[in-house]
Amino acid sequence: MLLASPPLVRLITEIDDNGAIPPRRLAGILHDLSPHHLRCAVETGRSNGLVRSVPGVGLELTETGSALADLYDATARWACRHNCPEPVSDFSSRVRHTFDLMAASLATEQAEGFASPSTGSLSSLGRERDLDVLRAPLIQWLTSNPQVTALPEPEPVA
């Protein structure tokens, strides 16, 4: 899932936590990202209206990007509460794993034609209901930002 890309998660959360990043400091601040991943994250953020460059300020979040950062925070808190994917995990892994869980759950519901939790243990049912609370803001965000889920137009063949 595009939104759960670790480089994009790092970029969005870094700006959310610490404010705009001047262009010359981007690679130093996000030193754990390769130049390729950093470039892809910035391009993805710009093309989806999540970040923008402001002269004299640097790369900052748009309103849409800020809402996504809030969604990342809620997702990571949920994952931490449920030890997902492991009791000790980094922020990006928690977001990615939880987004994957939500996508799988939504796909199952669509295939079955209803929105009830799958049968399982009480703890998994409680976790599934808790995940429903997190899915609602994700669905609302995706509905408000259809550009993120639009498939790119195929390039014409020469």
Side-chain angles (χ1 to χ4, degrees):
M1 174 181 261
L2 169 79
L3 295 178
S5 156
L8 183 64
V9 172
R10 285 278 294 119
L11 177 66
I12 298 294
T13 56
E14 182 65 36
I15 296 171
D16 184 54
D17 290 347
N18 299 304
I21 302 174
R24 294 178 189 241
R25 299 204 49 230
L26 197 56
I29 290 172
L30 297 170
H31 59 86
D32 57 322
L33 298 179
S34 71
H36 171 75
H37 285 127
L38 185 55
R39 188 173 38 261
C40 287
V42 171
E43 288 173 8
T44 298
R46 282 186 179 138
S47 67
N48 288 288
L50 305 172
V51 298
R52 65 176 165 246
S53 293
V54 177
V57 175
L59 200 60
E60 69 177 18
L61 293 178
T62 62
E63 188 175 321
T64 300
S66 184
L68 180 59
D70 292 343
L71 186 58
Y72 285 161
D73 288 340
T75 301
R77 281 193 305 276
W78 182 92
C80 188
R81 219 174 21 255
H82 293 282
N83 295 321
C84 291
E86 299 292 331
V88 177
S89 299
D90 64 38
F91 188 89
S92 294
S93 296
R94 290 185 190 282
V95 170
R96 182 174 197 79
H97 181 79
T98 306
F99 273 35
D100 287 346
L101 286 175
M102 288 188 282
S105 180
L106 286 170
T108 300
E109 286 177 10
Q110 289 175 345
E112 294 175 355
F114 60 92
S116 69
S118 58
T119 57
S121 69
L122 286 176
S123 63
S124 68
L125 288 175
R127 182 173 130 173
E128 185 70 23
R129 275 192 230 103
D130 199 17
L131 189 59
D132 285 342
V133 171
L134 189 56
R135 280 190 311 188
L138 174 62
I139 292 169
Q140 181 180 9
W141 190 91
L142 290 169
T143 301
S144 299
N145 298 284
Q147 77 280 4
V148 175
T149 57
L151 294 175
E153 296 270 335
E155 293 188 26
V157 178

